[in-house]
Amino acid sequence: DLYRYDTDDFINFDREKNELASDCVNDVCELSPGKLLFTTDVGFSILDYQTQRFKNYDHENGVPLSAINERSLYKSQQGEIFIGGIDGMISFKEKDINYIPKGYTIAPFRLIVNGQDVNVDDDSGILKEDLSITRKLVLKSSQSMFSIEYAISNYIPAAKNEMEYFLEGFSETWTTTRGQNTITYTNLSPGKYTLLVRIKNNQSQIPESRLGIVILPPFYLTIWAYLFYFIIIAGVLYYLIRTYNNRIKLQESLKYEKKRTEDIERLNQAKLRFFTNISHEFRTPLTLIIGQMEMLLQVRSFAPTVYNKILGAYKNSLQLRELITELLDFRKQEQGYMTIKVSEHNIVDFLYENYLLFQEYALQRQISFNFRKTNDSINVWYDAKQLQKVMNNLISNAFKHTKEGGEISVSVRKGNREVIIEVTDNGTGIAAEDINKVFNRFYQTDQIESLSYTGTGIGLSLTKGIVELHHGTIDVYSEPGEETTFSVHLKTGNEHFTPEQFSKRQEESQLALENNIPLQELQEQLLNEQEVMSNENIEKSKEARILIVEDNDSLREMLVKIFESFYVVSTAANGREGWEKIQSEQPAIVLSDVVMPEMSGTELCKLIKENIETCHIPVVLLTARTAIEHNLEGLRLGADDYITKPFNINILLSRCNNLVNNRIILQEKFSKQPQATPQILATNAMDKELVDRAMKVIESHIDNVEFNVDILARETGIARTKLFTKLKAITGQTPYEFILTIRLKRAAIMLKENPELNISEISDRLGFSSPRQFSKCFKEKYRVVPQTYRKGENVDNEEEE
């Protein structure tokens, strides 16, 4: 350490920072002003204080001492320096070592690549001339491990200095060779470098050596490779972009097609809704017409000519009803609700009857209309009502497309396990491009010049749907202007139908009615239905009140005329007015239209069935909506029946009377039969809960003589007047009568199951004031005294009466 007077501190000198020959210093002396001489274990060093740099002298640069002893440094008065070592002693003066070295050069003389010496023009092709005069080395990517050995042109030991090197483009600092003249690099990245080699502490200004080194990239990193990569990437990007654009176009196209399909479907559904709504509007006035016609037909006091005209009007009204129903059938088919009820028939007779219906029309049009058959009897399972729609459609289409003087034929023949029905005409025909489209819904051909009428495009679609419901097929063959044939193929046998598709016997009368059977049979059937209603039921219903809720004034008046002979009739013009009358009048039955202003029939039905005071009242909904989902909606809300317009008045009367009379019959059964429980009277959950609650209260007080209606009302949580009204409506009995009936039913059970109890004990256990009162009440109820009932003589005789 060197002390500094001006800062009063020490400067530390060492081998690493100040290039001292060794950190082991033996002695020191002043060589001259500004210079100090230090002896170390390897030689001696002179410090220039101003530059603070050392110049080292050791065995390698001419000092003959291999090691210097401690405390063996001496300076004489003459300035001569004496240094002793293990090999002897040397002496010198400062001027002897202050010499100016001669200039020399640094040059590479040996190149080693991947452990192999490289010579001029050898197989490696690296050197074209001697390394010492080579300005630049070009190495391949596989030759990135190399060593270069340098030499200097100075052979004077005292002038030797250490070299240091620096690789531009790779190194950040100069690196000393530490006595080794070989420089080695491995795994250099491809690029251009410059190797600089110089003398450390270059006081003599020895020029540095410069050698350019180029490491070539591998083939996959060359400019051509990058160009290839660019082309490949550009091609892939182009392909991806093009594919993406095509996909976007496809998606947009699909969206357009989907939207177009949805628009078409919405248009079709709008048409179907139009048909449904307009049919609803048709059905209400048609109901009035048919109802009035039926009422007139039942009078049977007209002259024959007048009566026949009424019959004709009635027949045409029924036909119009069928046409409206066919409009709604297409809606059913579209929604998958159309069903068939098949039975076995002679299809030849069926087709011949349909043929006769159009014979008079053919004569008016001067069209040759023929019927051909191969057998007189061919039994086939089919739904006559639905197949009649098929034949009507095919034959009417043939007439529409056939001009006067043309020819139409209907033929039927038996094939291989099938029946083939053909309708052929020589009308305008169907173009080849339209053949596959005629069965599409709402499709109409452009050939309208020969048509008498323009259709809606649903007939053939409905026809195909009905044929397919029969597990059959329909085809069309046409030569425009020559001939067109529609061919229907129906399978023989009934194996292809499900059990639900078979017609039941009890439905025959209803099917015959809907299929417009001959008028005389229809009238007889209606009269028979009217006679079925016994006078006894009519007298019972006469005491009952019916509420008719209908917004159409004419239809409401007609319904009043129909029911006024059997009921006390109240009316309302809408659901809200009807609800008010139901609360005030408590009718025995409610007949309501569905579509009404202010409050619909389904909303009214929901109010009735959710209110404890009215939930027992039967509700019959009357509407022109024939779709199954509408019927299910009303039935889910608790409607007791659902009748579609136009309706048969006798069927309507029968259904309403049945609902009222069934309740009366159940009430009588509950009252007269000891085994009947009050739960049979509850037709809904709210009534059942009330009956159960009342039964529980009565059972808990059944032995209490003081038990009365007030206690029953209090413990059931219902006001006395409301309890009276509700129990009277459900059971047909007052609360007092209901309590008495429950006690008597329990008495009947105890008489049979507890023979050890006498009449007095049973009377006491059931809350009667005396055995005499018990016997009297029991005989009035069951027409037999308790003792006789116990012996086994029950109330059968009474029930027979």
Side-chain angles (χ1 to χ4, degrees), residues 440-691:
N440 295 343
R441 59 182 179 179
F442 304 119
Y443 182 78
Q444 296 171 291
T445 62
D446 295 331
Q447 299 174 342
I448 62 172
E449 67 277 356
S450 61
L451 300 182
S452 301
Y453 305 97
T454 300
T456 60
I458 66 173
L460 288 177
S461 177
L462 177 61
T463 297
K464 183 179 180 182
I466 295 174
V467 172
E468 289 177 348
L469 280 176
H470 285 81
H471 304 277
T473 58
I474 182 169
D475 304 312
V476 58
Y477 311 95
S478 180
E479 294 182 10
E482 297 291 334
E483 184 180 84
T484 300
T485 299
F486 283 87
S487 179
V488 177
H489 301 257
L490 297 178
K491 297 178 182 179
T492 57
N494 59 6
E495 301 83 6
H496 45 282
F497 293 108
T498 62
E500 294 80 11
Q501 292 178 326
F502 288 102
S503 176
K504 299 179 181 178
R505 290 185 178 272
Q506 56 266 33
E507 295 175 354
E508 293 292 337
S509 60
Q510 179 66 17
L511 288 174
L513 178 66
E514 294 179 351
N515 284 328
N516 193 12
I517 59 178
L519 251 302
Q520 187 175 359
E521 296 180 16
L522 177 62
Q523 294 171 42
E524 293 177 358
Q525 182 177 342
L526 294 177
L527 292 175
N528 291 335
E529 289 178 358
Q530 184 174 357
E531 292 173 359
V532 168
M533 294 184 293
S534 64
N535 292 331
E536 181 183 358
N537 288 341
I538 293 174
E539 290 175 1
K540 292 176 182 176
S541 298
K542 183 64 177 175
E543 301 175 358
R545 178 180 295 275
I546 184 172
L547 174 64
I548 298 173
V549 187
E550 171 62 58
D551 60 325
N552 186 284
D553 296 336
S554 300
L555 182 56
R556 187 170 64 251
E557 291 174 4
M558 190 191 80
L559 291 172
V560 170
K561 292 179 181 179
I562 292 173
F563 285 97
E564 64 185 359
S565 300
F566 310 103
Y567 296 91
V568 176
V569 181
S570 299
T571 61
N574 56 66
R576 192 174 302 281
E577 182 183 348
W579 174 240
E580 294 174 357
K581 289 196 174 184
I582 289 170
Q583 291 176 302
S584 60
E585 297 179 1
Q586 290 288 316
I589 187 171
V590 174
L591 177 64
S592 174
D593 191 12
V594 171
V595 181
M596 295 183 296
E598 294 192 31
M599 182 187 293
S600 67
T602 53
E603 293 173 334
L604 175 62
C605 178
K606 184 177 180 182
L607 281 177
I608 294 172
K609 295 301 179 180
E610 290 181 352
N611 190 295
I612 184 63
E613 299 179 15
T614 59
C615 61
H616 62 277
I617 300 175
V619 177
V620 178
L621 294 178
L622 190 65
T623 184
R625 294 180 176 178
T626 59
I628 292 177
E629 65 270 20
H630 297 303
N631 295 1
L632 292 177
E633 179 188 2
L635 295 175
R636 278 196 299 266
L637 293 174
D640 296 86
D641 206 345
Y642 209 104
I643 299 176
T644 58
K645 302 175 186 177
F647 49 80
N648 182 279
I649 59 174
N650 290 311
I651 293 176
L652 177 62
L653 275 171
S654 297
R655 292 188 179 180
C656 292
N657 284 341
N658 286 341
L659 289 172
V660 176
N661 292 334
N662 285 345
R663 179 173 290 277
I664 295 174
I665 291 171
L666 288 175
Q667 290 173 351
E668 290 180 353
K669 181 179 180 181
F670 168 71
S671 177
K672 294 181 179 181
Q673 294 185 8
Q675 297 82 9
T677 62
Q679 281 75 12
I680 64 173
L681 302 173
T683 58
N684 56 75
M686 297 178 72
D687 285 350
K688 185 178 183 301
E689 182 184 358
L690 175 61
V691 171

Side-chain angles (χ1 to χ4, degrees), residues 184-247:
T184 301
Y185 284 99
T186 59
N187 297 325
L188 288 178
S189 300
K192 294 182 179 181
Y193 305 93
T194 301
L195 181 59
L196 305 178
V197 182
R198 69 182 183 183
I199 299 298
K200 192 175 183 181
N201 298 327
N202 191 8
Q203 298 178 355
S204 303
Q205 302 298 318
I206 303 300
E208 62 185 10
S209 172
R210 301 177 68 89
L211 177 63
I213 300 174
V214 178
I215 306 295
L216 298 177
F219 72 92
Y220 53 83
L221 295 178
T222 60
I223 185 65
W224 297 108
Y226 282 117
L227 180 61
F228 177 75
Y229 299 153
F230 175 77
I231 294 173
I232 293 296
I233 294 173
V236 170
L237 288 176
Y238 173 76
Y239 171 77
L240 293 176
I241 293 173
R242 183 176 179 181
T243 303
Y244 176 76
N245 290 334
N246 290 338
R247 182 172 296 180

